Every structure is written in structure tokens, then in C-alpha cells.
Amino acid sequence: MKIPVLLCDDDNNLLNYYKDKIQEIINTENFQAQIIQVSTNAEQVIETLKNDLIDGGIYFLDIELASGKNGIDLAEKINQLDSEANIIFLTSYEEYAIYTLQREIKPLDFIVKSSEKEQEQLVRALKNATQKNNKEAVMAIKVLNRKIKIKLSDIFFIETSAEPHKVILHGKNIQYPFYASMKNLENKGYGLVRVHESFLINPENIESIDFTKRKIYFNKRIYCFFSAAKLRLVKKLFK
Amino acid sequence: MILVAHNLFLIHEFVIFIAFYLSIAYLGKIRDISYYAYGGLILIPITFLSAFDNLIFFMVVTIYYYLIRKLWKQKYLKRNFELLALLEGIAINIVSTFFSSYLIKDVIQPRLNIRLTYNISLEIILYDVVLAILLTVVMTWVVNFYNKKITISNSTEVTILNTELTFFIIIILLVIKWFFSIKMLSQLSNIVLLVIFAQFILTLFVTLVAVKKYRKRNEMIVLKKQMKIMSLYNHEIEQNYQEMRKFKHDLKNILSSLKINNQESNSYLKKVEQYLHPFQNKKIDHIINLENLKLQSLKMLIITKIMDAKAKGITIAFECIRPVESINLNEVDLNRIIGILFDNAIEATQNTTDKEIHILVIKHNDSVEFTIENSFSGEVNLDKIKKLGYTTKQNNQGIGLSNLSRLVDKYMQLSFAQYVENKLFVSTLIIEDK
């Protein structure tokens, strides 16, 4: 099945330009995607989403849509209607509230309009969007009011914290505190292994093990401990 | 002056009046010839009057002074200042003449072994006059010095001083007059001395308190005015900034559009673009919609901190995409929390190569979120940071955190979390609207 692609920009010229460009990339790169809608109006996009259930669509949105609604509101609406949406923002300049967008919308990409790297960026974004749909296993957690999806392959280990019921997830460039029970996380089928009363590790990411100090390293600096009782288990994991 | 009526006594009064008149001129910085001419005109009658009755003498002098200086015509500030000179002159006159006669009678005369006769000798009068003039000169000089010290340009402070001085003079004169009328002055001059001294201290004290209170109130008014000017200025900057962004945005759009429409003949366009390129890509501060933050004090705080961070070479981004009208938290505590978070962020970026701080104020449906992201170096241990006041050696994420925890715990509507994401240390505070 081809992934639906939708475009929304208030400038008709630019809209047509990007439509052609994206079509060209889909054809040459042979991506499994199809442009199903091009519009200058945010309402039309929402209308389409409400009528046809789209799951995991690719959306190219102009951030500063002129017609009242801005790209962020539209993106939020899209996220509500299509939880697997791949949103790619088209922006005239790296001047918009990109940091807020990154937090709020978690867009797949930003493309700066008519920059030299535009072609490259479009290809990359489409590639990521089409590949992302080959569903990679993720863990969904909630940090305050924000739902965060973490690829299992990014997780190093989860440890208990000083605060009851709160655990801390360590991973590649991430550290999240969230509320969960170690037991639940262990049994949820994420493939995490309990190597200590306080540590739940992802065996896929072990880099090395120091058996004398009973430390498991995930990179040069990040490590956790394992208990003596779990020695045999750890040895088996690291084979 | 309060010795005994005598011919010599008139001379005494005559000389002292001249000293008194000149001291007022000196204190009031009066240089008009008319002032001296009017003084000469009144010289003889006023001498008799001062020998006759002190209270009436000062009243007449005050009225006369008021008339010759045309005080009702003067500007408020000048009028106040000249009145101050008069009152100070009177006070100096009273104190110096009393002191001189006290010293002559109780200190010098017994030592000189001059016999106290009914007819006071020329010698005594001479001593008295010289001493009184000396005292007047010294006191005038001191008072003038004091005038310079206090901000004499401030009319309200001068008014306070004038009121105090008037009270001082009236009380002293009444005391002296009363003692004189019951013929006790010579016996009770020590008590008068004490009264003068006590009244003087009281006057100083009351003046000081009044001036202090006034200054405090004045400072508040000035501060409020400054706040108002600041916020106006902020508003203007915001608008300029907004326009600049819009212009850049439009320019870019027009160029893109032109480029697309004239695919073939765009060599000229390329030239134009090349020319505009440095301007377009010139990094202006990433400050988005600061005007959406409607809380003035918080906005000031954030602006101050942004300036502070910029001075330290930190790249700043501020974003507030939706209007934030109010926040469900005591403003003082909110500012304290944001201040601590900001300071921590600035501190943590210090050892990093690309110093970066992002401040995001996000209005949600039923809450307001503050997120501060900063670059950091070394490892962060969230579990330890959570503990009160923890500080790592490499990055001082913990400074002020014990205060922060206390503040966050104080309010039900607050939730707070810190985490690491994409190599940035993130602190998020959420304030529920409820």
C-alpha cells in the first residue's frame, strides 16, 4: 500500500512547485508514496482527514499559513486525527518557533524553502517517512504532560530513583524520569532484563562488561551494576 | 541682647542685626543690591524693635523679608529655598546670641573677675558682640555646608526642613520669652540651654526621618515610572523585531516565487540573491513572539536574563507562540523559579563549546508550560539532581535547586521535571490553570 502524501501551503506558486518536486522524487527514488491532496487551505486538509481515515500519512505543511490558522494548529489537529502522522514543515526561514514545534509536534523534519539543500532535504524527509512506517519497536512513556516515544534500540537501561514509583530511563543522548513500576516494564515484552534490584537493562546495547566490579557498560561513560546473583544470566546475555 | 537696657545695648543689637541680615544673604545666595538697600532702610527702627521684643522682631523681619524678596512671586523651589535661608538665619541668630550671653555671664565674666554692676560695662558688651558674631559666622558656615549636603534642589525635602525649623524657632522663642517674663532667665539659663539642645536634636531627628520616608516614596515613584518606560521601550523593540522578521520572510518568499516562475532567465535574479544573501542569513536573535508574554515583571526578568546570557556568549532562543495572559501562580514565586532555572541553565552552558539556551513558554489548553533547554558538558545524573541542592563538579545544575524543590512542593498546581534529550538538558515546569 502506498503512503498518502498531503501538501498545504498558502502560496499557490510554491504549492505547485513542491507538488512537482515531490512527485519527481517519489518517481525517481521509487518511494511507496502517493500525493493525494494539494491545498492552500488548512480546513481542506482537516476535512480530508476526517472523511478518509489516514494512518501514518506524510504531511508537508507551511508553518506560517496566512489564512488564520497557522501551521502549528493544523499540525496539532493532524496529530490528533492521525497518531502516526509524519509531519514535515516547510518554512521560509529558520526563524519560526522551531524549538516549540520540536517539543509540541515532534515533526519528522524541517525544510527551508528554496535553500540550496532543499532537494537533499526533501529526499531525506521522504525516505525517513517511508521507512519509519516499517514500524520500529518503541516504548511510549509520559514525561509530565508530554507523550514520548522511544525506540527500543535507543534504550540502555532503566533504574529506580530515590522517589518512589519513579524510574529513570537512560539511553543514547536521553535521560527521562517517568512513573512506572520496574516489574511492569520487565514483563511488557520490551526485551528488558532485570540484572539488579534497581536496574533493568536492554541487552542489545551492551558494549562491555567488567565482571570484577560487576559493571555493565553501554558506552564509555554510561554503565550500571548487576548483582552477584545475576552473574550467570549476565554472562549468558553477553555471549 | 537680653542683658539690661542700656545705650550700649542698642549698639549691640545693631551690630548683631547686621550679622544676622548678612548670614541670611549668604545662606540664601542673595546677591541683589536691593536686598542690602532695603536692609539699610530698616536698620535703625529694627534695632530698636529687637531691643524691645524678640518675638515681634522676628515676626516683622519675616514679613519684611517676604515683602522685599517678593516671595509670593517666586517659583516654588526658589521660594522654599529663600524661606529656608531666613529660617536658618533666625535659628542661628537666636542660638548664637543666647550662647554668647550665656558664655559671657556664666563662663567668662566670673573668670575675668569683672564685678557685676547694674551698668554693664562697654567691655562686656564688646565681648558679647564679638562672640555672637563669631558664633554666627561659624554656624552660618556649618549650616551652609549642611545645605549643600542634603539635596537642596529637592523642594519637598526643603519644605520638610522649613517646617521643622519653624517649630524649632517658635518653641525656643516661647521658652526664652516665658523665662524672661517670669524673670528667671538668668537663673535658668542652663535649662534654656538644655531645651535648645534637645529641640535641636529632635529637629534633626524628625527631619531625617521625614526625609528618609519621603525619599523612599519618591524612589518607588521613580521606579514605577522607569518600569513604565521600560515596558514601552520593550514594546517598541518587539514591534521593530516583528517587522524585521516579516520583511525577511516576505523577501525570501518573493525571491523563491520569482525564481520558480522564471526558471530560464534568472541570472540577474541570482545576482540579486547573492547581494541579499548576507543580509538574509545574518543571524538575528531568535526571539519569537515575546509580545505574547503579557506578564510584565516576568517579561522583564526574562529580558534581563537574556541580556545576561548574551553577554556571556550564549546563543539564546525564546519562543512564546500563543498569548499568555495570566499564570495561576504567585508572581513573586514564579519569577523566583524562572530565575533559578535560568541561572542554572546559564551556569551549565559555561563549559560547553556551543553555548545554547532555549526558553519556551507554551500555552496549553489548561496549563502554561515553561521549558528551558540548555547545552551541558559531562554527565548528568538525574537521580542525584533530584536530591536537594545537589551539585556536580562539572556542571552546576544543582545551584538553587533546593530552593526550587521547596517552591515547587509549595503549590499543588505545579509539576516539574528535568530530563536529557538530544544532548540538551531540559527543565520543564507546568502550571495548571485550575
Side-chain angles (χ1 to χ4, degrees):
Chain A
M1 201 196 109
K2 286 185 176 177
I3 302 164
V5 177
L6 293 90
L7 265 80
C8 189
D9 194 322
D10 58 332
D11 185 323
N12 229 334
N13 283 332
L14 287 171
L15 192 65
N16 286 328
Y17 167 77
Y18 282 109
K19 182 186 148 199
D20 296 344
K21 199 116 202 180
I22 289 164
Q23 191 58 57
E24 190 190 312
I25 291 167
I26 290 172
N27 292 343
T28 51
E29 301 279 331
N30 201 18
F31 288 136
Q32 291 303 302
Q34 185 184 12
I35 299 175
I36 63 160
Q37 190 185 32
V38 235
S39 91
T40 53
N41 189 340
E43 300 298 331
Q44 283 174 16
V45 179
I46 293 165
E47 205 59 32
T48 311
L49 270 169
K50 278 182 178 159
N51 294 337
D52 322 319
L53 283 174
I54 296 175
D55 192 24
I58 302 172
Y59 305 82
F60 287 89
L61 309 177
D62 176 22
I63 289 178
E64 290 179 312
L65 291 175
S67 60
K69 246 184 167 52
N70 66 30
I72 301 167
D73 293 332
L74 177 59
E76 274 186 345
K77 198 85 196 170
I78 289 171
N79 264 339
Q80 279 170 23
L81 294 166
D82 178 358
S83 60
E84 298 294 322
N86 300 296
I87 293 169
I88 297 153
F89 281 118
L90 297 169
T91 162
S92 311
Y93 192 73
E94 306 103 304
E95 67 179 17
Y96 204 68
I98 49 170
Y99 300 109
T100 306
L101 287 188
Q102 258 154 11
R103 293 233 142 249
E104 289 283 270
I105 314 289
K106 298 231 176 305
L108 196 67
D109 221 328
F110 286 95
I111 291 171
V112 180
K113 282 181 194 167
S114 56
S115 72
E116 281 152 34
K117 290 182 188 159
E118 186 189 77
Q119 172 84 14
E120 212 179 295
Q121 283 180 318
L122 279 170
V123 174
R124 188 188 65 200
L126 277 164
K127 195 172 179 179
N128 284 337
T130 45
Q131 280 177 0
K132 190 188 158 195
N133 271 40
N134 304 335
K135 297 241 164 109
E136 197 181 337
V138 291
M139 178 191 275
I141 61 167
K142 208 172 169 193
V143 178
L144 289 184
N145 62 344
R146 199 152 273 143
K147 280 183 199 132
I148 295 173
K149 284 180 192 163
I150 306 156
K151 285 187 210 156
L152 287 186
S153 57
D154 282 345
I155 298 173
F156 292 159
F157 65 94
I158 296 170
E159 65 171 329
T160 54
S161 82
E163 202 179 319
H165 309 300
K166 187 181 245 181
V167 297
I168 295 166
L169 183 149
H170 295 255
K172 275 179 199 151
N173 292 328
I174 51 172
Q175 233 185 101
Y176 292 115
F178 65 103
Y179 289 97
S181 87
M182 292 291 261
K183 198 155 197 163
N184 267 346
L185 290 170
E186 190 181 355
N187 298 330
K188 242 184 180 166
Y190 293 129
L192 302 176
V193 181
R194 192 79 168 255
V195 293
H196 187 280
E197 190 67 25
S198 315
F199 296 105
L200 199 56
I201 67 158
N202 179 5
E204 304 295 323
N205 281 330
I206 298 176
E207 193 191 72
S208 64
I209 297 176
D210 184 338
F211 283 100
T212 51
K213 286 175 185 157
R214 292 211 297 272
K215 278 180 178 175
I216 301 173
Y217 283 87
F218 297 89
N219 64 28
K220 277 203 181 71
R221 279 185 299 193
I222 300 176
Y223 62 86
C224 75
F225 296 95
F226 63 92
S227 60
K230 303 281 185 171
L231 181 64
R232 192 167 291 170
L233 177 74
V234 172
K235 268 186 176 162
K236 218 167 81 187
L237 282 177
F238 193 52
K239 247 169 210 173
Chain B
M1 69 183 185
I2 27 134
L3 295 175
V4 191
H6 190 278
N7 283 344
L8 283 173
F9 184 56
L10 282 177
I11 299 168
H12 169 271
E13 292 300 282
F14 180 80
V15 176
I16 284 179
F17 173 74
I18 292 172
F20 163 60
Y21 201 73
L22 292 179
S23 81
I24 294 173
Y26 180 70
L27 288 171
K29 297 187 174 63
I30 300 167
R31 297 207 175 81
D32 318 15
I33 301 195
S34 69
Y35 175 78
Y36 301 99
Y38 281 122
L41 214 65
I42 202 185
L43 207 49
I44 303 299
I46 207 81
T47 306
F48 280 101
L49 187 63
S50 89
F52 171 67
D53 190 298
N54 249 332
L55 205 58
I56 297 172
F57 162 72
F58 285 123
M59 276 155 84
V60 169
V61 166
T62 306
I63 293 164
Y64 192 67
Y65 180 79
Y66 208 82
L67 292 174
I68 62 166
R69 296 306 301 158
K70 298 190 180 69
L71 282 189
W72 66 93
K73 265 191 180 172
Q74 305 267 26
K75 275 184 191 149
Y76 182 62
L77 199 71
K78 186 134 200 293
R79 186 171 66 212
N80 251 347
F81 183 63
E82 292 207 348
L83 210 59
L84 178 71
L86 174 75
L87 290 169
E88 281 172 345
I90 292 174
I92 289 167
N93 182 265
I94 294 168
V95 173
S96 64
T97 48
F98 180 79
F99 263 78
S100 67
S101 60
Y102 168 79
L103 285 173
I104 296 292
K105 205 154 53 60
D106 291 358
V107 184
I108 297 173
Q109 199 182 353
R111 299 246 166 103
L112 285 177
N113 225 354
I114 296 167
R115 206 160 287 164
L116 195 69
T117 52
Y118 190 74
N119 289 325
I120 287 161
S121 64
L122 177 71
E123 210 177 346
I124 297 253
I125 294 287
L126 208 67
Y127 274 126
D128 194 8
V129 167
V130 171
L131 206 60
I133 289 174
L134 213 71
L135 276 169
T136 305
V137 169
V138 171
M139 283 174 72
T140 306
W141 184 74
V142 171
V143 167
N144 191 46
F145 185 72
Y146 173 76
N147 281 357
K148 272 187 205 156
K149 271 257 164 180
I150 64 164
T151 44
I152 220 73
S153 57
N154 193 316
S155 61
T156 316
E157 281 176 25
V158 176
T159 309
I160 293 168
L161 208 58
N162 280 348
T163 320
E164 302 299 339
L165 270 172
T166 312
F167 272 110
F168 175 71
I169 290 162
I170 290 170
I171 287 174
I172 294 299
L173 280 177
L174 287 177
V175 165
I176 292 175
K177 201 172 168 55
W178 182 59
F179 278 7
F180 198 60
S181 69
I182 56 170
K183 299 204 168 54
M184 296 280 273
L185 191 63
S186 44
Q187 289 97 311
L188 295 175
S189 58
N190 280 326
I191 294 179
V192 176
L193 207 65
L194 208 73
V195 171
I196 290 179
F197 187 69
Q199 187 61 34
F200 178 68
I201 295 289
L202 196 73
T203 307
L204 267 187
F205 178 73
V206 172
T207 308
L208 210 74
V209 169
V211 165
K212 230 179 192 173
K213 208 168 169 186
Y214 166 74
R215 278 193 188 162
K216 214 171 187 179
R217 213 190 58 205
N218 211 34
E219 254 169 41
M220 279 301 288
I221 293 168
V222 170
L223 211 68
K224 264 187 194 162
K225 232 183 232 169
Q226 277 178 339
M227 282 276 280
K228 210 172 162 190
I229 293 168
M230 262 283 269
S231 75
L232 278 174
Y233 177 65
N234 281 343
H235 185 70
E236 202 164 302
I237 290 178
E238 271 165 20
Q239 255 177 354
N240 286 347
Y241 188 77
Q242 207 73 346
E243 269 162 32
M244 170 101 157
R245 274 203 320 128
K246 204 168 148 351
F247 173 67
K248 273 176 118 178
H249 174 234
D250 291 348
L251 183 70
K252 188 97 182 178
N253 260 0
I254 291 164
L255 281 177
S256 325
S257 206
L258 277 174
K259 213 159 70 179
I260 291 157
N261 287 335
N262 306 285
Q263 292 283 16
E264 297 87 25
S265 61
N266 61 7
S267 67
Y268 176 68
L269 209 63
K270 262 206 176 120
K271 265 186 195 160
V272 173
E273 217 183 10
Q274 252 168 19
Y275 171 72
L276 288 171
H277 192 259
F279 166 71
Q280 283 191 63
N281 287 343
K282 195 173 174 221
K283 230 189 159 139
I284 44 175
D285 291 335
H286 184 95
I287 294 174
I288 309 293
N289 301 103
L290 184 60
E291 75 282 357
N292 273 343
L293 188 59
K294 310 285 189 204
L295 300 153
Q296 284 306 320
S297 66
L298 182 65
K299 196 195 307 201
M300 290 299 181
L301 173 80
I302 287 177
I303 290 170
T304 317
K305 294 286 178 194
I306 286 176
M307 305 269 214
D308 190 15
K310 278 182 67 169
K312 288 183 170 142
I314 299 167
T315 310
I316 287 283
F318 174 90
E319 295 173 358
C320 180
I321 55 167
R322 299 184 196 99
V324 176
E325 307 277 353
S326 67
I327 287 175
N328 177 26
L329 187 66
N330 172 325
E331 213 167 311
V332 176
D333 280 344
L334 175 68
N335 290 353
R336 276 171 71 195
I337 292 174
I338 302 301
I340 290 170
L341 288 176
F342 219 127
D343 288 342
N344 284 346
I346 290 174
E347 191 78 38
T349 54
Q350 282 310 293
N351 295 325
T352 59
T353 42
D354 33 74
K355 302 176 170 58
E356 216 180 330
I357 295 180
H358 311 149
I359 308 107
L360 317 176
V361 185
I362 307 169
K363 172 92 187 86
H364 298 295
N365 283 337
D366 49 6
S367 62
V368 177
E369 171 185 336
F370 284 91
T371 289
I372 297 184
E373 310 174 330
N374 63 269
S375 52
F376 65 95
S377 62
E379 285 299 317
V380 170
N381 189 330
L382 286 179
D383 197 29
K384 278 189 188 166
I385 277 176
K386 201 45 209 158
K387 284 173 197 159
L388 300 184
Y390 170 81
T391 324
T392 62
K393 270 176 196 158
Q394 287 152 329
N395 48 12
N396 297 328
Q397 298 280 12
I399 288 182
L401 276 179
S402 59
N403 290 332
L404 188 69
S405 303
R406 222 169 292 138
L407 283 170
V408 170
D409 290 343
K410 202 167 130 188
Y411 295 101
M412 279 296 287
Q413 71 269 37
L414 293 186
S415 42
F416 177 67
Q418 290 182 306
Y419 52 96
V420 180
E421 196 174 79
N422 303 324
K423 295 183 179 166
L424 289 174
F425 185 82
V426 184
S427 303
T428 294
L429 179 79
I430 291 175
I431 306 151
E432 311 276 344
D433 285 341
K434 272 181 277 189

